[in-house]
Amino acid sequence: MTPVLSLARRLVAVSATALLLASPPALAETLSGRCVSVHDGDTVTVATPKGREKIRLVGIDTPELAQAPWGDRARAFTQRLVQGREVRVETDVQPRDRYGRLLGYVYVGDTFVNLEVIRSGHAVLLTYPPNVRHVRAFTAAQTEARTRGLGVWDPKEPLTVSPKAFRHGGGTRRRQRSPDGGKPPAAAASVAPGAVVRFNPRSRKFHPEGCGHPCGSCEPMVVEAARAQGGVACKHR
């Protein structure tokens, strides 16, 4: 096959995550400004009335610039959408990452930039609860891009190491992985989109609720986020 692109520790943690998926959270912040720089496909700088903000586009992950040619292509695509344009940025439940970047959904007029980047095949899904408001739309967009063979999903020139795996040395220290775990769309449908699973980052296996597998070190997340990290379903299903 041609490659084309990882219980809650307590039941209450899974229940809380599932509740977030069922009920979109209120906006934490909305800001507007002009995009003055595009660092890569999923990171831009916006000049606002209060100063410049570095924005990390939520829910998607574009190839690193060192992942030629896909990183440069992703950056160029995002540039065409936002460079020098007035943008609106909306945050989710968690407004910033550990680097201080604003985690945002970026819009240019009616164009939802995050969605267009993944729908064009220039990004893969990477969603972490609690910032999951648009996970279903992103999942559908990725499926569309993969079905059409766009960008990183091009069967003639596929991206075989996910951006996250590449950042952690996956290009040299471990076998190349497809960015969604190497499963075809039909297999991915075996776990419902948006379902909460328990992901083990060491074994790169995820456990659907009710599989009965104990996993004290697992992290709760939606299944799309687990697959984006190279996760595959356990055999105790």
Side-chain angles (χ1 to χ4, degrees):
M1 178 185 297
T2 302
V4 287
L5 266 182
S6 101
L7 207 177
R9 291 191 176 98
R10 295 181 175 82
L11 180 59
V12 64
V14 171
S15 300
T17 305
L19 181 60
L20 286 172
L21 290 171
S23 303
L27 293 179
E29 183 179 359
T30 301
L31 60 84
S32 298
R34 181 177 295 273
C35 178
V36 295
S37 181
V38 176
H39 307 284
D40 54 32
D42 56 33
T43 311
V44 304
T45 293
V46 175
T48 76
K50 295 183 179 180
R52 295 193 174 194
E53 283 277 10
K54 182 171 282 191
I55 314 294
R56 173 62 167 85
L57 276 62
V58 181
I60 68 172
D61 200 18
T62 61
E64 298 297 311
L65 295 178
Q67 290 182 277
W70 306 279
D72 288 333
R73 291 173 181 171
R75 182 174 184 268
F77 182 83
T78 301
Q79 274 185 319
R80 289 196 295 271
L81 292 178
V82 301
Q83 184 72 51
R85 309 284 295 277
E86 290 294 323
V87 303
R88 183 177 80 258
V89 182
E90 297 178 355
T91 63
D92 210 323
V93 173
Q94 180 181 334
R96 294 186 184 275
D97 63 12
R98 59 180 177 172
Y99 306 109
R101 299 177 300 185
L102 199 66
L103 301 172
Y105 303 114
V106 178
Y107 298 83
V108 176
D110 294 329
T111 300
F112 187 5
V113 176
N114 307 49
L115 186 65
E116 292 305 313
V117 175
I118 194 168
R119 180 153 55 195
S120 66
H122 288 99
V124 298
L125 184 73
L126 186 62
T127 300
Y128 293 103
N131 292 349
V132 296
R133 182 182 303 126
H134 298 290
V135 65
R136 288 181 176 85
F138 292 161
T139 301
Q142 175 167 282
T143 298
E144 177 184 344
R146 182 173 183 176
T147 299
R148 296 174 62 191
L150 301 178
V152 300
W153 306 104
D154 184 349
K156 296 180 180 178
E157 191 178 34
L159 178 70
T160 56
V161 177
S162 72
K164 182 173 181 178
F166 185 86
R167 289 192 292 272
H168 289 82
T172 56
R173 292 201 296 268
R174 61 168 71 103
R175 182 175 60 85
Q176 292 188 337
R177 295 176 179 270
S178 174
D180 66 347
K183 290 187 173 291
S190 62
V191 179
V196 178
V197 298
R198 297 169 293 137
F199 177 65
N200 187 324
R202 297 183 64 183
S203 68
R204 292 188 175 273
K205 292 184 179 180
F206 61 81
H207 306 282
E209 187 172 3
C211 78
H213 191 282
C215 187
S217 61
C218 289
E219 304 172 9
M221 62 180 65
V222 292
V223 65
E224 292 83 7
R227 286 198 174 105
Q229 297 180 57
V232 295
C234 69
K235 297 181 180 180
H236 302 278
R237 302 179 55 202

